[in-house]
Amino acid sequence: MRDLFLSHFTPSLMRHEDLEAIFVQDRRKRWVDAIVQGVREAALGGSIPSYLTIGARGMGKTHILSLVYHRLKADPEMEGKLALAWLREEEWGVASFLDLLMRLLSALDSEEPDAGLADRIAAIPDARDPEAAAANLLLSAVGERVLAVLIENLDDLFAGMGDIEQKRLRAFLQDHRFCSLVATAPALFNGIRRETSPFYGFFAIEHLSELSLDEARELLVGIARRAESDELVTALESPLGRARVRAVHHLAGGNPRVYVIFYQFLTGESLDELVEPFMRTVDELTPYYQARMQLLSQQQRKIVNYLCEKRGAVPVKEIARDSFMSHQTASTALKQLRERYYVRCHDAGRESWYELREPLMRLCFEAKKTRGTPVKLFVQFLRIWYSREDLTDLVARLCHGGRLNATELLQDLDRAGVDEVWAPAREDWRQDVGQLVASGQWERLLSCAEEGSALADPASGLAQALALLGLERFPAVLATLDDARRVLPDELITELEPVLSYVTGLALIGLGRHQEAEPHLRMGVEVLPSDSTPRMALAGVLVTLGRYADALQVVAPYAERSDDPEAWALKLACESGAGRREDAADSGRRLLKLVASQGVTPARLVRIALLPTVALGALVTMLVGREDQLWADMVAASRVCPELARFVDLADASFEYRQNRDKRVLLRLPAEDREVVQQITDLMTQARETTGVRS
Amino acid sequence: MGAAPGAVLKPEQVVGRDELIADLWSILQSMSVELYSVRRMGKTSVLRKMAAEPAEGFMVDMADLEGTRSPEEFAKRVFMQVEARLGAGRRVLRHARSLLSQLDPQEVSGVKLAPGALKEHWKDLVRGVMRDLVEAAEEKKATPVLLWDELPLALGDIAKSDPVRAMEVLDLLRELRQTHASLRMVFSGSVGMHHVLRRLRGSDYRNEPTNDLYAMVLPPLSLDAAAELAYSLLYKGGVIGGRPEAAAGAIAEAVDGVPFYVHHVALAMQLDRSDATPEEAVRHVDALLLDGNDPLQLRHYRERLNLSYEEGERALALATLDTVSTELEPCAFGQLRDLVASRLELTDDELLRDVLALLVKDQYLTRDSGGAHSFALGIVKRWWRRDRGLGE
């Protein structure tokens, strides 16, 4: 295992290759690419862009600047064309354009110590016009090159300079066209947001978004890989590891710095090693958040404090009630806090829910309140990451002297019950399952189901069965459902059995065991009365069993009140099978209109056309009769819906083939269509025999 | 050139402005110009292109006057601007230097001045500089043109501390244009000169120091030029799958040809690795309009009303814009008056006419030949409706 240096606060100190290896999120990658490309082009004689990356503390802004810096620095084509100056986070005290020029010169001197700038910089204060002297020195030091200035906390820098000095800076940049600013800020600020501000519209701006669960996993695995910790990579990629990251994700709120901190806990050999970096982080961050609190009004502070105590989002009316404010006052304060990036808002129906934007803020205030006792977030993390046995062992080791009290910690761990820490992750997992089912991502669902079982979610067996059903691994579906039934507690069996039964029915259809499937599907129709799928599946099974009248009873009520072409195709099949030719003709017309009017996708059309072979037969039955209107409708529909044209062509070919049995008719067709034409021809013959219609 | 909203362009990268620049040269044959537009329309790029590629017979210099806090600073910057053109030699700046040499010992560009001397003699310095410039231009048989970016902003800043001195700057510039028949100036600004004058009139200023200027509003790019720009940005950003030409056309149309917005949409599509189709282009414009972070920075259309309009005007302007934003067709005055009156009490038609004139000058609205008003930019109209909760 390699000793990887991970900096929580100063990624600029990390090695370039490490920074690249642990850089995640596609959109961020493209943003960095765009910045590097823009600055390169500027250095090679193109336009001079400026960039501003916005994100809360710990969101990865310095990481982005570091990558830009390293990539440009490592680019041999930039030699002699680009100068770099990095104004670090701690560049305080810039109160004027002149101050900024001096900082830029100093940064340039650090980058290019051999350029002999130091003495000339030292002479500037003695110049008659120091500002002009500094500006001229900067211009001459950069020469024909372009200067890329990397600035952290641009908001602080601009606030220190004030309006007029910013205007002087902008005029200088406009007049000399030599400098690209690549800056960061924790939030959008008036110095660029207002039209009257000098730098309005000056920057291409990107707001960093939080890491998704997958991106957080990628980050942790990336760090483990970079540290050559195969064991940890395997653990993180196991279902249990994935489940744990999901749970931690809920605590971290997508903030990359929190994951980097958590990562260090994962590799800690003793609890002391876990506690130390955690508490150090808290110590280091606390003054920053205290300073941010001082910028707020009393009412705003009260709300932030309140939200720190809550883990999730809270509706405005609840915030107002608990903070003893009017709804209007709370709304106004929250709006201001939102604009200043303290909180984020979620709309839920007509309500707005607010939560803290930065999980680290909560963590710091909580640490301050608890004064040395374990921080709730930390306890929750431990509860997620370690089994009860592991924890007892870890806490025992703490007795050698650490910052936490072992007894208190164990008590806290016990209080942080399993359900409390895992419940949000389960909820989140179920949402993922829902989305994966809806989008038909069966392989991913299978992997997600394994994670559900690590989360001990009772629905994990069902999720696995659905994934296997989607993958058409029907015997495995039945086996999985049996297993699920065995492990489910009795009260849940009662609740879930109808759904399990329905899925069983679907698997039985896949196995061709239609007779057995029927009762299970009827259960599905019963428990999911508003869902068309079980109804359609049941009707399909009944058609296959030749029970057209029964099938019609199932599908007709649904078809009549819907515009679902599949339902009408099935109804048509039932009516055709039941010999109700007039009704079938009506259904056929309705079906064609729906197909034409809905712009049905090819995939769906194939399902409609091939779903019940009998439906196809029904259409052919009518075609045999050459019902002019129906045929005209079909040709017209094929113009709107080109996929239908193939069916018309096939039907035409079938007519021709049936009349003369000339094999060349078939041979002209693509191989995959020949069988279909053969089938249609047989159906035509069969239809003619059963209905007595002449061709 | 990749998509980068706000980038400082090289003159050769400025597209779609050739006709407008030709018009400006033509006007400058006979008079000076006030060039106005809202921010990020491309004024500075136009000025820079003019400075880099002057038409035959013109001697052009450009300076950004943002951050100028006093008439003395203004004089100093003009001196340095002209000095950069003519060189530091005493021969070519003899009038200015002759004055400076009498004002020992503080320094302006190597010439010493007595403390406070410039405060007293800044007008003389500017007059001397202009004489030098005009004479140097005459020798070359050229028309001298000074391009001053953000002059109204500088005047506004000077007026903050002393409105009288801002008036003096304006009067001096007019005097110079009258004294030197060949001298041309281009005042460019995102704050209309009319707002500066309105503020100064509050301090009893009655002159019309800009009525000899040709007032020109910088329009957006033509849709063809904007589409060309969008196409090149999409191509450079690797947004090429689909129908890039159609996508570029859709972007141009959806943002009314405003180059700043074209850059924004192209960058958003690049970062999303989007397909280059008209549908995706329109989807991205919608997303940018809906984004709470206001990436297109349209909020200033609302905020400017607070900054530049008097209280009574502001309420009327809001009601007017709300009304026009919800109308499909341009509103004739009578119709507009009735609709606005349904939103607030309107006792004086003249006040509405004044506000309408201001809104047109500030590029919120445009007035057609029949006198009917509509939003100058469709994208602003859409944003206004959304921001004000007036529906889609």
Side-chain angles (χ1 to χ4, degrees), chain A residues 27 30 41 45 47-48 128 164-165 167-168 170 174-175 177 192-193 195 197-198 200-201 341, chain B residues 2 6 8 10 13 39 48 64 66-67 69 73 107 157 236 271-273 293 297 300 303-304:
Chain A
R27 185 157 172 119
R30 291 194 285 272
E41 281 179 15
S47 59
I48 311 258
R128 287 216 171 99
I164 282 287
E165 297 298 308
K167 283 176 177 164
R168 295 164 77 80
R170 189 175 188 278
Q174 292 285 8
D175 278 348
R177 219 191 76 84
I192 52 169
R193 200 176 61 82
E195 196 222 9
S197 49
Y200 167 84
Y341 274 63
Chain B
V8 182
K10 288 180 79 177
Q13 290 171 328
R39 291 193 83 160
R48 193 172 282 123
D64 188 324
E66 229 176 322
R69 293 165 290 194
E73 267 190 25
E107 183 171 298
D157 283 337
K236 194 82 186 175
L271 292 177
D272 281 348
R273 208 167 278 170
N293 289 316
Q297 299 186 267
H300 73 82
E303 290 173 348
R304 260 198 299 162

Side-chain angles (χ1 to χ4, degrees), chain A residues 532-553:
Chain A
S532 64
T533 321
R535 194 172 287 277
M536 297 284 284
L538 175 61
V541 160
L542 293 171
V543 166
T544 311
L545 294 172
R547 290 162 56 188
Y548 302 113
D550 290 346
L552 195 57
Q553 271 190 342

Side-chain angles (χ1 to χ4, degrees), chain A residues 607-668:
Chain A
R607 272 173 63 202
I608 294 165
L610 301 182
L611 173 73
T613 321
V614 188
L616 192 67
L619 277 172
V620 173
T621 303
M622 287 172 284
L623 291 173
V624 169
R626 286 269 185 178
E627 288 187 17
D628 290 344
Q629 186 51 50
L630 187 62
W631 184 251
D633 285 349
M634 187 129 177
V635 172
S638 74
R639 286 194 199 106
V640 183
C641 181
E643 290 77 12
L644 206 58
R646 180 170 166 268
F647 185 78
V648 175
D649 289 347
L650 291 178
D652 253 350
S654 304
F655 279 126
E656 195 182 346
Y657 180 59
R658 201 180 71 79
Q659 277 173 349
N660 55 29
R661 295 283 167 178
D662 182 351
K663 272 209 159 182
R664 284 173 299 181
V665 174
L666 291 181
L667 291 172
R668 277 200 300 271

Side-chain angles (χ1 to χ4, degrees), chain A residues 48-228:
Chain A
I48 311 258
S50 286
Y51 300 93
L52 177 61
T53 306
I54 289 180
R57 280 256 157 173
M59 281 297 286
K61 300 184 296 295
T62 308
H63 193 151
I64 283 174
L65 281 195
S66 303
L67 287 174
V68 170
Y69 172 83
H70 285 302
R71 288 189 196 177
L72 290 169
K73 190 88 177 161
D75 187 343
E77 219 182 331
M78 293 295 98
E79 183 72 37
K81 297 196 170 60
L82 182 72
L84 285 161
W86 191 336
L87 303 184
R88 310 275 174 178
E89 242 172 332
E90 59 279 5
E91 298 280 350
W92 307 107
V94 174
S96 66
F97 176 45
L98 172 59
D99 288 343
L100 179 64
L101 288 171
M102 293 302 286
R103 296 296 168 97
L104 287 173
L105 283 165
S106 165
L108 199 55
D109 181 43
S110 306
E111 282 294 320
E112 303 170 359
D114 298 335
L117 277 175
D119 291 345
R120 294 159 74 192
I121 294 172
I124 288 174
D126 297 327
R128 287 216 171 99
D129 185 345
E131 185 179 296
N136 288 334
L137 179 56
L138 184 65
L139 289 169
S140 74
V142 174
E144 294 299 306
R145 297 177 294 172
V146 160
L147 174 66
V149 182
L150 279 59
I151 307 175
E152 294 178 71
N153 295 336
L154 184 73
D155 52 332
D156 282 347
L157 186 92
F158 276 9
M161 288 177 73
D163 181 61
I164 282 287
E165 297 298 308
Q166 287 174 45
K167 283 176 177 164
R168 295 164 77 80
L169 169 62
R170 189 175 188 278
F172 179 68
L173 298 178
Q174 292 285 8
D175 278 348
H176 298 287
R177 219 191 76 84
F178 79 115
C179 182
S180 169
L181 306 183
V182 183
T184 68
L188 211 52
F189 53 100
N190 284 341
I192 52 169
R193 200 176 61 82
R194 288 196 175 145
E195 196 222 9
T196 47
S197 49
F199 284 86
Y200 167 84
F202 189 84
F203 293 94
I205 298 173
E206 172 71 354
H207 295 260
L208 296 181
S209 55
E210 288 81 7
L211 298 188
S212 67
L213 176 59
D214 284 345
E215 288 157 354
R217 280 179 181 144
E218 194 188 335
L219 171 63
L220 290 171
V221 171
I223 298 174
R225 285 223 166 87
R226 198 67 198 156
E228 296 171 6

